[in-house]
Structures are given as structure tokens and as C-alpha cells.
């Protein structure tokens, strides 16, 4: 609805952070974000395992006041 600072995180079922998909100020509007299931750590490349993951979105307005937050489950199947 309005300009704000948006954070979109993905966690595994244990609560460990898997990916930061968005971490920036965005104008009002509709956005889509691709979630890459390929993980690169050090010199190792691997896919995420099938299972349940949680995504969390948080939006703060220009006064740093939270205006929206939500968490939902998603299922990743290979």
C-alpha cells in the first residue's frame, strides 16, 4: 500500500535461516521473488531437501514502525 522497508526470509523447520530473499526499501506495488533451491556454502553446491519451510515477511514504514508481518509454511517437493 505504501513505500516501506521489506524483509523476506526463508527458514527451515528447525528455525535456521536458509535464505534472505528481500532486504531493501520498496515502493508500493506488487512484487514476485524467485526462491533458488540451490545452496552454495564455501565450495559445496547442493539442493535443498524436500520438506516444510517457513517464510516470513516484515514491512516497516519510513518511520521504522512495523506495518505488516506474516509467517507461512510452504512445502518443497523435488
Amino acid at each position: 500500500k505504501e513505500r516501506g522497508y521489506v524483509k523476506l526470509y526463508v527458514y527451515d523447520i528447525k528455525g535456521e535461516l536458509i535464505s534472505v530473499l528481500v532486504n531493501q526499501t520498496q515502493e508500493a506495488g506488487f512484487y514476485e521473488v524467485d526462491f533458488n533451491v540451490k545452496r552454495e556454502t564455501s565450495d559445496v553446491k547442493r539442493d535443498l531437501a524436500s520438506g516444510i519451510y517457513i517464510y516470513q515477511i516484515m514491512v516497516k514504514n519510513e518511520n521504522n514502525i512495523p506495518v505488516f508481518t506474516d509467517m507461512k509454511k510452504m512445502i518443497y517437493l523435488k
Side-chain angles (χ1 to χ4, degrees), residues 5 9 19 26-28 34 37 40 46 52 58 64 69:
Y5 192 82
Y9 297 154
S19 182
Q26 293 184 330
E27 297 296 327
D34 290 329
V37 297
E40 294 184 30
R46 60 187 172 111
I52 298 173
M58 297 169 281
N64 206 28
T69 185

Side-chain angles (χ1 to χ4, degrees), residues 5-11 17-24 26 31-35 54-59 68 70-72 74:
Y5 192 82
V6 179
K7 295 180 182 180
L8 179 58
Y9 297 154
V10 177
Y11 300 93
L17 182 64
I18 299 296
S19 182
V20 177
L21 300 178
V22 178
N23 193 16
Q24 65 186 16
Q26 293 184 330
Y31 294 87
E32 292 184 15
V33 178
D34 290 329
F35 176 45
I54 298 165
Y55 65 90
Q56 178 182 33
I57 185 168
M58 297 169 281
V59 181
F68 181 77
D70 197 12
M71 291 181 85
K72 297 211 180 201
M74 63 180 171

